[in-house]
Amino acid sequence: MINFGDLMEGIGLLISWKMPLAIFSGMLLGLIIGVIPGMTAALGLAIILPLTLSLDALTALILMTSVYTGSLTGGGILAILINTPGTPGAVATTLDGYPMTRKGLHNEALGLQIASSVIGGFLSYLVLLFAIEPMTWLALKFGSSEMLALTIFVIVFIGILQGKYLSRAIFAGVFGILVSNIGTSVSTGVARGTFGFAELEDGVPLIICIIGMFAIPELLSLVNRKSISDEDVQKKHNIQDLFKGIFKAIKKVKIWLTGSIVGIFVGVLPAAGAAIASLSSYSLAKKFSKNKENFGKGEPDGVVAAESANNASEGGSMAILLSLGIPGSASTAVILGGFMLHGLVPGGGLFRDNGPLVYGLIVGNLLQMIFLGFFAAFIAFYVGKIVKVKSYLLVPLLIILMSIGSFAYRNLIFDVYILFIFGIIGWYLKKFDFTPLSFMIGLFLGRQIDEDIERVIILFSDNPLKVFESTITLTITILTILSLIYYFFFKIKNGNKKN
């Protein structure tokens, strides 16, 4: 329950000229980071971390979470305009956001994305304010066997919903898991799949893989067109369409409410993150939509579902960070460093000893979401003019920027090679219906799966059936089996109808 005394004291801490300045500068930096290919929120947070030493704890944390919030939304802007997810969480946004851009509806798509991001983020922090204890309890229930079962379920479920061929979708997911485990094993310290390249010992850089998978194939297809928007459907670049998208998103209550619930739930789970949240929400929206055949062709519901879950996952990940001190991503790991830099240790003691600060941080993040709408609309409108730039200028410029961003990530030319290798892989997967989304899920969760399998083997090697003593593991396993039965039943039924 809320401690109203601490809540009012926390609101009092926010009444300072420093707070609007911290929110403004952090949000602006985050949005800029999100729209630059190769830049990540973690990198931006790491840059400003030393600067927070001169600030008080609450102002420093508000600044860092503003950067985090802005980057999540900025990544979606890039995904819509040039089919390049600026952050992992924006992968699902490309599926319908970019097709809308191709139709000349980029401003409307940006409006949908901004409104959904604001709503999802606001709801997640509102839930965090009232229900942080139940959220923490839920997170603690997910151990190694539960996370392993959940990951397998997500790969199968998205494969069923997204792919033409389940076998190819599962193959793509397993391939993603194998790629993610390239590098030094955490448990054994042995290098795996590096082929002697020292640059791969730390693993394959996730953000570079994402950019390569989605951007390079699209840039290759853009060579044959005059600009991003098809010439016969180009429209004037006006702000009315942006507001049209915003109002349209607000009316889609069922979609953004479901997306926010999925985002909060997935965000609470350790190592799941915004990417899994947005992909799961998108798949659910497609499954229960009356216009499911329009998904992937520029369906507004797809953008709303993906972006509401993307930003809603932020509140979930902050819940697990504040209550247990467990960072769910590289970005929240840097934010954890910000806590410790100011002598604060997240966990049960944080609420007991610094209740007003925690409530101040949560309320501050609610205010951020209101500011986010104005800043994102301004940035998106002017960045949106990129759709009218001629392809012969845009393609080489973007390839150069992506190459520079990939090199800057670790100062290695090897990462530029990885960018183009994954571009070729992405083109192949898309052409032959191998479901790139399943590959990305395997890539996101592969390391976690590897660690979970090792823990499960150690814990249950004497009797593997003990795994199913966990109600959550058993339930998720049954759901996976039922999903497969459902898929094969309807496949056989449809096959008989054709015959």
Side-chain angles (χ1 to χ4, degrees):
M1 293 296 291
I2 295 178
N3 185 322
F4 286 98
D6 286 348
L7 175 62
M8 296 309 295
E9 196 174 335
I11 293 172
L13 293 174
L14 292 171
I15 302 173
S16 166
W17 63 270
K18 293 180 182 178
M19 291 303 168
L21 187 62
I23 292 172
F24 174 80
S25 54
M27 198 73 69
L28 191 61
L29 177 61
L31 286 165
I32 292 169
I33 287 169
V35 298
I36 298 176
M39 289 289 284
T40 64
L43 179 59
L45 288 167
I47 291 169
I48 67 165
L49 184 59
L51 304 177
T52 63
L53 279 168
S54 60
L55 303 173
D56 62 88
L58 184 56
T59 306
L61 293 171
I62 290 288
L63 175 64
M64 295 184 76
T65 52
S66 296
V67 173
Y68 181 41
T69 301
S71 67
L72 286 176
T73 304
I77 294 171
L78 202 64
I80 288 169
L81 294 176
I82 59 171
N83 201 42
T84 303
T87 58
V91 168
T93 309
T94 63
L95 301 176
D96 282 296
Y98 186 69
M100 288 185 73
T101 297
R102 290 283 307 275
K103 294 176 181 178
L105 301 173
H106 53 282
N107 281 324
E108 186 177 327
L110 290 170
L112 289 165
Q113 185 251 343
I114 291 165
S116 305
S117 296
V118 171
I119 291 168
F122 190 86
L123 286 178
S124 72
Y125 277 105
L126 203 60
V127 171
L128 178 62
L129 183 64
F130 288 96
I132 190 165
E133 289 184 13
M135 291 166 77
T136 306
W137 174 85
L138 176 65
L140 286 172
K141 292 292 180 183
F142 274 76
S144 298
S145 64
E146 289 83 4
M147 283 302 298
L148 182 59
L150 181 65
T151 305
I152 294 169
F153 172 71
V154 169
I155 290 174
V156 170
F157 187 66
I158 289 181
I160 290 170
L161 295 180
Q162 297 294 327
K164 291 182 181 178
Y165 309 101
L166 178 62
S167 58
R168 295 187 188 187
I170 292 175
F171 176 86
V174 172
F175 181 48
I177 292 169
L178 291 174
V179 171
S180 73
N181 281 287
I182 292 172
T184 306
S185 170
V186 176
S187 55
T188 64
V190 176
R192 303 175 298 189
T194 60
F195 297 97
F197 292 105
E199 295 90 345
L200 290 174
E201 288 184 1
D202 290 331
V204 180
L206 188 62
I207 190 66
I208 294 173
C209 296
I210 293 168
I211 293 171
M213 285 276 295
F214 288 89
I216 299 299
E218 190 54 43
L219 290 178
L220 291 175
S221 69
L222 194 58
V223 171
N224 298 320
R225 304 201 304 269
K226 290 184 178 180
S227 61
I228 292 176
S229 288
D230 292 332
E231 200 69 21
D232 57 337
V233 295
Q234 280 198 8
K235 297 181 179 180
K236 289 184 178 180
H237 189 68
N238 61 70
I239 199 146
Q240 285 85 1
D241 288 339
L242 191 72
F243 285 106
K244 179 183 175 183
I246 290 172
F247 292 124
K248 185 181 283 189
I250 293 170
K251 292 176 183 177
K252 295 183 180 293
V253 179
K254 184 180 176 181
I255 304 295
W256 54 250
L257 187 59
T258 305
S260 299
I261 292 169
V262 171
I264 294 165
F265 171 74
V266 176
V268 169
L269 304 179
I276 304 303
S278 58
L279 289 168
S280 301
S281 175
Y282 180 87
S283 298
L284 278 173
K286 181 180 179 181
K287 174 67 178 174
F288 296 106
S289 174
K290 295 178 182 177
N291 305 314
K292 60 181 70 178
E293 67 280 354
N294 293 336
F295 276 70
K297 300 176 184 177
E299 173 59 47
D301 287 1
V303 178
V304 175
E307 281 297 313
S308 58
N310 180 20
N311 267 37
S313 68
E314 183 186 342
S317 62
M318 285 300 291
I320 196 74
L321 178 67
L322 290 170
S323 56
L324 299 177
I326 300 173
S329 63
S331 301
T332 49
V334 181
I335 294 173
L336 176 62
F339 274 95
M340 293 181 172
L341 199 64
H342 289 271
L344 301 168
V345 180
L350 185 66
F351 286 88
R352 184 184 63 247
D353 302 330
N354 298 280
L357 183 140
V358 174
Y359 281 113
L361 179 61
I362 294 172
V363 174
N365 277 278
L366 285 168
L367 293 174
Q368 278 179 30
M369 295 302 161
I370 298 169
F371 281 100
L372 175 64
F374 296 103
F375 293 141
F378 177 79
I379 295 284
F381 180 72
Y382 286 99
V383 174
K385 293 182 179 181
I386 197 172
V387 300
K388 292 188 177 292
V389 178
K390 298 301 179 185
S391 294
Y392 65 83
L393 295 173
L394 188 64
V395 171
L397 178 63
L398 288 176
I399 287 176
I400 291 168
L401 281 174
M402 289 173 191
S403 300
I404 292 170
S406 299
F407 174 78
Y409 188 72
R410 297 190 298 179
N411 289 328
L412 293 172
I413 193 68
F414 190 84
D415 287 346
V416 181
Y417 304 150
I418 291 175
L419 175 75
F420 290 102
I421 288 168
F422 274 86
I424 295 167
I425 292 172
W427 176 85
Y428 183 87
L429 291 175
K430 189 175 180 180
K431 181 175 176 63
F432 295 100
D433 296 313
F434 273 95
T435 318
L437 291 186
S438 295
F439 175 84
M440 296 310 298
I441 288 172
L443 195 65
F444 292 140
L445 294 179
R447 284 271 171 155
Q448 183 69 30
I449 291 171
D450 179 49
E451 293 174 23
D452 288 337
I453 288 174
E454 292 202 19
R455 291 193 194 101
V456 168
I457 290 170
I458 292 168
L459 291 170
F460 305 105
S461 57
D462 57 328
N463 184 4
L465 293 177
K466 283 185 178 179
V467 170
F468 300 108
E469 289 180 1
S470 165
T471 306
I472 295 174
T473 303
L474 181 61
T475 304
I476 295 172
T477 304
I478 291 170
L479 286 173
T480 305
I481 295 168
L482 289 175
S483 299
L484 289 169
I485 293 170
Y486 171 86
Y487 171 79
F488 287 115
F489 173 77
F490 277 95
K491 189 174 183 181
I492 293 167
K493 187 178 180 181
N494 291 334
N496 291 335
K497 282 183 179 179
K498 289 179 181 177
N499 292 331

